[in-house]
Amino acid sequence: MNHLLPLAATAAASSGNSIWSIIVIYALLFGALYFFMIRPQQKKKKAEEALRKNVQVGDEITTIGGIVGRIVAIKDESDSFVLETGIDRTKIIVKRWALGKINTVHEDDK
């Protein structure tokens, strides 16, 4: 029986080391997941919010549905804007979340 005690001690020590190595591997995987997936998504969301917040009357925009036009009014209370599009200058009310891209280049963006 005495010759089994050193084996039991080394088995307990190695199981403790394997638990820590598994914890370290999971921490590294979560860190990689955060830096390659979660963080860029948060940056993209912040940039989209800034884009929607900084839209101005007179901007040429493209909506996420592909409608191209010029903003003629901004309605802050309903979180939308009026878009003028087409040859006959049709006016459409569009929600801010539908803003895809601003086509106008501002002086401060250069």
Side-chain angles (χ1 to χ4, degrees):
M1 265 328 224
N2 287 339
H3 66 285
L4 293 177
L5 284 176
L7 288 176
T10 57
S14 68
S15 70
N17 289 338
S18 68
I19 289 173
W20 282 108
S21 64
I22 290 172
I23 290 172
V24 168
I25 289 172
Y26 277 122
L28 290 174
L29 286 175
F30 181 74
L33 176 75
Y34 176 78
F35 280 107
F36 289 115
M37 294 183 76
I38 297 170
R39 189 166 176 244
Q41 187 69 22
Q42 290 174 343
K43 279 185 166 183
K44 183 179 176 184
K45 188 174 180 179
K46 277 186 180 180
E48 288 174 353
E49 287 175 7
L51 175 80
R52 291 181 181 124
K53 190 177 184 182
N54 295 328
V55 70
Q56 300 171 0
V57 173
D59 284 347
E60 295 282 332
I61 65 150
T62 304
T63 66
I64 58 174
I67 299 173
V68 179
R70 184 174 55 90
I71 296 177
V72 293
I74 297 176
K75 299 181 176 186
D76 288 330
E77 66 277 354
S78 63
D79 202 29
S80 60
F81 53 87
V82 179
L83 185 68
E84 184 179 74
T85 184
I87 296 172
D88 58 348
R89 296 185 177 184
T90 305
K91 291 181 176 61
I92 305 169
I93 297 175
V94 180
K95 292 288 188 180
R96 280 188 192 257
W97 59 262
L99 177 64
K101 178 179 153 184
I102 297 177
N103 301 331
T104 306
V105 178
H106 298 289
E107 293 296 321
D108 55 344
D109 291 341
K110 290 181 180 179

